[in-house]
Amino acid sequence: MLYTDYGFTLVALNRFEEAIQPLEYGLSRNAAVPHGQNALGYAYARLERLQEAQDVFARGLEYDPECAVLWSNLAVVWMVAGAFQQAAQGFEKALLLEPQNPAIIHNVMLLKGVSQTGSLAGQPHLDLFFTKI
Protein backbone atom coordinates (compact mmCIF):
# COMPACT_ATOMS: atom_id res chain seq x y z
CA MET A 1 0.00 0.00 0.00
CA LEU A 2 2.95 2.31 0.61
CA TYR A 3 3.88 2.34 -3.08
CA THR A 4 0.31 3.06 -4.09
CA ASP A 5 0.04 5.93 -1.62
CA TYR A 6 3.40 7.32 -2.76
CA GLY A 7 2.32 7.15 -6.40
CA PHE A 8 -1.00 8.79 -5.52
CA THR A 9 0.89 11.64 -3.87
CA LEU A 10 3.05 12.08 -6.97
CA VAL A 11 -0.08 12.29 -9.12
CA ALA A 12 -1.53 14.91 -6.75
CA LEU A 13 1.71 16.87 -7.30
CA ASN A 14 1.28 16.59 -11.11
CA ARG A 15 4.36 14.37 -11.39
CA PHE A 16 2.59 11.91 -13.67
CA GLU A 17 5.54 10.13 -15.31
CA GLU A 18 7.19 9.65 -11.95
CA ALA A 19 3.98 8.30 -10.41
CA ILE A 20 3.43 5.45 -12.84
CA GLN A 21 6.12 3.05 -11.61
CA PRO A 22 5.22 3.11 -7.89
CA LEU A 23 1.51 2.91 -8.70
CA GLU A 24 1.98 -0.03 -11.04
CA TYR A 25 4.19 -1.79 -8.51
CA GLY A 26 1.85 -1.16 -5.60
CA LEU A 27 -1.17 -2.28 -7.62
CA SER A 28 0.66 -5.40 -8.77
CA ARG A 29 0.92 -6.36 -5.08
CA ASN A 30 -2.71 -5.45 -4.33
CA ALA A 31 -4.94 -4.49 -7.25
CA ALA A 32 -8.06 -4.09 -5.08
CA VAL A 33 -7.31 -0.43 -4.35
CA PRO A 34 -9.78 1.65 -6.40
CA HIS A 35 -8.24 5.01 -5.45
CA GLY A 36 -4.87 3.68 -6.64
CA GLN A 37 -6.38 2.44 -9.90
CA ASN A 38 -8.00 5.86 -10.31
CA ALA A 39 -4.70 7.66 -9.69
CA LEU A 40 -2.88 5.49 -12.24
CA GLY A 41 -5.63 6.01 -14.82
CA TYR A 42 -5.56 9.73 -14.09
CA ALA A 43 -1.79 9.85 -14.66
CA TYR A 44 -2.10 7.97 -17.94
CA ALA A 45 -4.96 10.22 -19.07
CA ARG A 46 -3.02 13.38 -18.25
CA LEU A 47 -0.09 11.97 -20.26
CA GLU A 48 -2.55 11.34 -23.14
CA ARG A 49 -2.00 7.59 -22.93
CA LEU A 50 -5.69 7.00 -23.42
CA GLN A 51 -5.75 3.25 -24.00
CA GLU A 52 -3.79 2.65 -20.81
CA ALA A 53 -6.03 5.08 -18.92
CA GLN A 54 -9.13 3.29 -20.20
CA ASP A 55 -7.77 -0.10 -19.17
CA VAL A 56 -6.89 1.08 -15.66
CA PHE A 57 -10.19 2.88 -15.01
CA ALA A 58 -12.04 -0.24 -16.18
CA ARG A 59 -9.92 -2.37 -13.85
CA GLY A 60 -10.76 -0.02 -10.98
CA LEU A 61 -14.45 -0.53 -11.72
CA GLU A 62 -13.97 -4.27 -11.30
CA TYR A 63 -13.18 -3.54 -7.65
CA ASP A 64 -15.68 -0.73 -7.12
CA PRO A 65 -18.42 -0.80 -9.79
CA GLU A 66 -20.41 1.85 -7.91
CA CYS A 67 -17.68 4.52 -7.99
CA ALA A 68 -19.01 7.55 -9.83
CA VAL A 69 -15.54 9.10 -10.17
CA LEU A 70 -14.16 6.03 -11.94
CA TRP A 71 -17.18 5.96 -14.27
CA SER A 72 -16.81 9.67 -15.01
CA ASN A 73 -13.06 9.43 -15.61
CA LEU A 74 -13.55 6.46 -17.92
CA ALA A 75 -16.24 8.39 -19.80
CA VAL A 76 -13.88 11.37 -20.15
CA VAL A 77 -11.28 9.12 -21.77
CA TRP A 78 -13.91 7.77 -24.14
CA MET A 79 -15.09 11.30 -24.96
CA VAL A 80 -11.57 12.55 -25.68
CA ALA A 81 -10.97 9.46 -27.85
CA GLY A 82 -14.13 10.23 -29.84
CA ALA A 83 -16.19 7.30 -28.52
CA PHE A 84 -19.15 9.54 -27.76
CA GLN A 85 -21.79 6.82 -27.37
CA GLN A 86 -19.65 4.98 -24.82
CA ALA A 87 -18.95 8.29 -23.06
CA ALA A 88 -22.69 8.98 -22.81
CA GLN A 89 -23.24 5.57 -21.22
CA GLY A 90 -20.41 6.11 -18.74
CA PHE A 91 -21.65 9.56 -17.76
CA GLU A 92 -25.18 8.19 -17.38
CA LYS A 93 -23.90 5.61 -14.89
CA ALA A 94 -21.84 8.27 -13.06
CA LEU A 95 -24.84 10.60 -12.79
CA LEU A 96 -27.03 7.84 -11.41
CA LEU A 97 -24.46 7.33 -8.65
CA GLU A 98 -23.71 11.01 -7.93
CA PRO A 99 -26.30 13.27 -9.58
CA GLN A 100 -24.97 16.43 -7.90
CA ASN A 101 -21.27 15.95 -8.70
CA PRO A 102 -20.19 19.20 -10.45
CA ALA A 103 -17.37 17.54 -12.42
CA ILE A 104 -19.72 14.95 -13.86
CA ILE A 105 -22.30 17.61 -14.72
CA HIS A 106 -19.59 19.69 -16.43
CA ASN A 107 -18.47 16.71 -18.48
CA VAL A 108 -22.04 15.85 -19.48
CA MET A 109 -22.53 19.42 -20.69
CA LEU A 110 -19.33 19.16 -22.76
CA LEU A 111 -20.58 15.94 -24.31
CA LYS A 112 -23.93 17.56 -25.14
CA GLY A 113 -22.01 20.39 -26.80
CA VAL A 114 -20.13 17.87 -28.95
CA SER A 115 -23.43 16.47 -30.20
CA GLN A 116 -24.53 19.99 -31.18
CA THR A 117 -21.30 21.42 -32.61
CA GLY A 118 -19.22 18.36 -33.47
CA SER A 119 -16.27 19.47 -31.38
CA LEU A 120 -15.24 19.62 -27.75
CA ALA A 121 -15.86 23.19 -26.53
CA GLY A 122 -13.88 22.95 -23.30
CA GLN A 123 -11.57 20.91 -21.14
CA PRO A 124 -13.11 17.79 -19.59
CA HIS A 125 -12.59 17.37 -15.88
CA LEU A 126 -10.88 14.29 -14.47
CA ASP A 127 -11.32 13.65 -10.76
CA LEU A 128 -8.41 12.41 -8.69
CA PHE A 129 -10.04 12.46 -5.26
CA PHE A 130 -13.12 10.60 -4.18
CA THR A 131 -14.60 9.58 -0.90
CA LYS A 132 -16.60 6.55 0.02
CA ILE A 133 -19.07 6.94 2.87
Side-chain angles (χ1 to χ4, degrees), residues 36-96:
Q37 299 285 357
N38 188 60
L40 181 58
Y42 184 99
Y44 281 137
R46 294 296 297 263
L47 293 169
E48 299 181 16
R49 295 166 59 176
L50 299 181
Q51 183 62 54
E52 291 157 300
Q54 173 185 290
D55 294 347
V56 173
F57 289 138
R59 189 168 54 239
L61 285 166
E62 291 175 18
Y63 296 101
D64 189 358
E66 301 301 309
C67 179
V69 169
L70 283 165
W71 277 110
S72 180
N73 286 349
L74 180 57
V76 165
V77 168
W78 286 335
M79 181 169 58
V80 170
F84 301 123
Q85 186 61 37
Q86 281 181 289
Q89 292 169 355
F91 287 134
E92 182 179 339
K93 180 68 173 173
L95 276 174
L96 284 173

Side-chain angles (χ1 to χ4, degrees), residues 8 11 34-35 37-43 45-46 57 67-74 76 91 94 98 100-107 124-131:
F8 184 94
V11 171
H35 79 274
Q37 299 285 357
N38 188 60
L40 181 58
Y42 184 99
R46 294 296 297 263
F57 289 138
C67 179
V69 169
L70 283 165
W71 277 110
S72 180
N73 286 349
L74 180 57
V76 165
F91 287 134
E98 287 188 23
Q100 302 301 316
N101 183 311
I104 298 169
I105 294 167
H106 168 78
N107 291 331
H125 183 79
L126 291 165
D127 261 336
L128 177 58
F129 299 101
F130 62 89
T131 57

